[in-house]
Amino acid sequence: MAQQAGMAPLTPAAGPAPADRGPPSPRFGARVPRHTYGALDLGTNNCRLLIARPSDDGFTVIDAFSRVVRLGEGLAASGRISDAAQDRAVAALAVCADKLCRRRVTLARSVATEACRRAANGRHFVERVRRETGIVLEIISPEEEARLAMLGCHRLLEPGDGPALIFDIGGGSTELVLIDTDGEAAPRIKCWWSAPWGVVSLTESEGTNFQDASERLAAYGRMKERVRHAFRRFSELLPSERNNIRLMGTSGTVTTLASVHLALPSYDRRAVDGLMVPSDSMRSVSTMLSKMSHAERSALPCIGSERSDLVVAGCAILEAIMDIWPAQTLGVADRGIREGILRSLMAKDGHVS
């Protein structure tokens, strides 16, 4: 599986696709104010939607949707998106299409990431989605995925003048972006990296059926080694000076581990988004989860059965990232690609956030 990397600057995409299913065009050519925006992110594991309107402090979310669809399930072995995975995703996207219509969204962007990039039938699936739901999915490049994730969460970085690394652990890939924050409105991207290991692809590389804790730990070690190897060339691009470095993650992995760290009885975005966690604490949580059985992890309130199998691979990826970028604290962001899309769309309409 090829890895992809690039040096800054990243160039933004040419622009959003035409609005997904929305209100009919007005008569006599009257211009409709673009006051309601939609951002849809179809990943390898999840389908997520945000609908928002501009506000003085950025934007206000008026509707949201998230569902685990496991679009990339079995993709590593077959090279194709299975019929069952397509059906799950199309059902979720039909819900999104209904929300976009009911909320009278006037400008939207819908993106698909690693599963559709990698699958031999990715384009066929995109056409099926358009035909059955009206949503026009744009299969974005790894660098655009990294850029949008950075735009969506960089405001939560802890203050400082050192370089910062922002990462997004997805279902089928992991994106990393090294940035400089020198007082400008938007950070300057120095380099980026996309590795073909996400929580779904890495889990499938090892399986989940282990007899005891020693077997689970051995598999966890192998997963960490795979990811370290995938990050090896990127680590050579990182500055050797590691003073005042900062680290932030945006993904289900980091928000889940932060919830376990806080011992939350149920997930609470307000407690997690923007949280700064000591890196050693995140390593301790990762080690603890890697030793647990599926049943033990499922019993944790912020993991449950849906995330139990996949969270260990996320822990392995996170530890590999902390190995190459050993910041003292890890920033946690419950925001990312969708928020990056919304900020980009609103900026095109002249809204400053």
Side-chain angles (χ1 to χ4, degrees), residues 7 12 30 43 85 106 118 124 201 251 267 320:
M7 298 300 293
T106 49
R118 188 182 301 179
H124 173 82
S201 55
S251 71
Y267 185 74

Side-chain angles (χ1 to χ4, degrees), residues 78-92:
S78 69
R80 301 178 62 83
I81 301 172
S82 70
D83 290 344
Q86 289 190 46
D87 291 345
R88 291 193 298 268
V90 168

Side-chain angles (χ1 to χ4, degrees), residues 42 57 116:
L42 178 64
D57 58 351
C116 289

Side-chain angles (χ1 to χ4, degrees), residues 40-53:
L40 192 156
D41 171 22
L42 178 64
T44 303
N45 196 48
N46 292 282
C47 175
R48 298 185 179 98
L49 171 72
L50 277 184
I51 298 174
R53 295 192 181 110

Side-chain angles (χ1 to χ4, degrees), residues 268-288:
D268 184 351
R269 183 181 188 274
R270 295 168 298 178
V272 169
D273 189 45
L275 183 69
M276 297 293 169
V277 183
S279 294
D280 287 345
S281 296
M282 290 298 251
R283 287 187 186 274
S284 296
V285 171
S286 296
T287 301
M288 177 188 73

Side-chain angles (χ1 to χ4, degrees), residues 26-351:
R27 292 184 178 182
F28 311 117
R31 181 176 175 83
V32 177
R34 292 177 173 173
H35 57 78
T36 306
Y37 301 80
L40 192 156
D41 171 22
L42 178 64
T44 303
N45 196 48
N46 292 282
C47 175
R48 298 185 179 98
L49 171 72
L50 277 184
I51 298 174
R53 295 192 181 110
S55 61
D56 292 340
D57 58 351
F59 56 80
T60 300
V61 174
I62 60 173
D63 208 343
F65 174 79
S66 179
R67 181 181 294 177
V68 174
V69 295
R70 299 208 177 199
L71 185 65
E73 189 173 60
L75 175 61
S78 69
R80 301 178 62 83
I81 301 172
S82 70
D83 290 344
Q86 289 190 46
D87 291 345
R88 291 193 298 268
V90 168
L93 290 166
V95 176
C96 295
D98 181 63
K99 287 180 176 290
L100 289 164
C101 186
R102 286 192 293 107
R103 294 293 186 176
R104 299 185 63 80
V105 170
T106 49
L107 187 62
R109 187 180 183 190
S110 303
V111 303
T113 55
E114 184 68 8
C116 289
R117 285 195 295 260
R118 188 182 301 179
N121 60 340
R123 297 286 177 183
H124 173 82
F125 167 69
V126 166
E127 174 56 26
R128 177 185 170 185
V129 169
R130 185 201 62 77
R131 187 173 62 250
E132 296 187 21
T133 72
I135 289 176
V136 180
L137 284 173
E138 173 190 357
I139 302 176
I140 59 173
S141 65
E143 57 265 41
E144 176 67 357
E145 184 177 355
R147 185 186 75 91
L148 290 172
M150 182 276 295
L151 285 177
C153 72
H154 74 84
R155 296 164 186 269
L156 292 180
L157 275 170
E158 60 182 321
D161 55 7
L165 182 66
I166 294 176
F167 64 89
D168 181 4
I169 301 172
S173 65
T174 296
E175 278 65 47
L176 305 100
V177 187
L178 182 68
I179 64 173
D180 264 344
T181 53
D182 53 7
E184 297 179 358
R188 183 169 61 90
I189 298 173
K190 300 185 69 176
C191 61
W192 63 275
W193 185 262
S194 179
W197 294 118
V199 296
V200 175
S201 55
L202 191 57
T203 298
E204 290 184 351
S205 75
E206 276 296 327
T208 58
N209 188 21
F210 305 110
Q211 296 300 316
D212 52 35
S214 63
E215 285 193 9
R216 291 190 287 270
L217 279 175
Y220 185 63
R222 290 191 295 269
M223 287 192 287
K224 285 196 291 186
E225 190 56 36
R226 285 191 182 93
V227 181
R228 286 194 192 103
H229 179 76
F231 290 161
R232 185 178 57 194
R233 286 187 56 204
F234 178 65
S235 65
E236 296 170 358
L237 302 175
L238 298 174
S240 56
E241 179 60 45
R242 301 294 174 88
N243 293 327
N244 303 314
I245 63 175
R246 292 164 291 165
L247 181 65
M248 171 163 284
T250 165
S251 71
T253 292
V254 293
T255 56
T256 297
L257 297 190
S259 300
V260 175
H261 165 73
L262 294 174
L264 296 178
S266 61
Y267 185 74
D268 184 351
R269 183 181 188 274
R270 295 168 298 178
V272 169
D273 189 45
L275 183 69
M276 297 293 169
V277 183
S279 294
D280 287 345
S281 296
M282 290 298 251
R283 287 187 186 274
S284 296
V285 171
S286 296
T287 301
M288 177 188 73
L289 293 177
S290 68
K291 294 178 181 178
M292 287 180 168
S293 68
H294 173 77
E296 289 170 332
R297 291 192 301 270
S298 297
L300 295 174
C302 290
I303 294 182
S305 58
E306 260 193 349
R307 292 185 180 273
S308 178
D309 281 348
L310 302 179
V311 71
V312 175
C315 292
I317 297 170
L318 175 60
E319 285 213 70
I321 292 171
M322 293 191 294
D323 286 344
I324 66 170
W325 196 248
Q328 292 186 350
T329 59
L330 171 66
V332 179
D334 186 354
R335 58 182 77 184
I337 290 175
R338 294 172 303 164
E339 288 80 3
I341 290 172
L342 288 173
R343 293 189 185 281
S344 296
L345 294 180
M346 292 177 188
K348 287 179 182 294
D349 274 355
H351 299 288

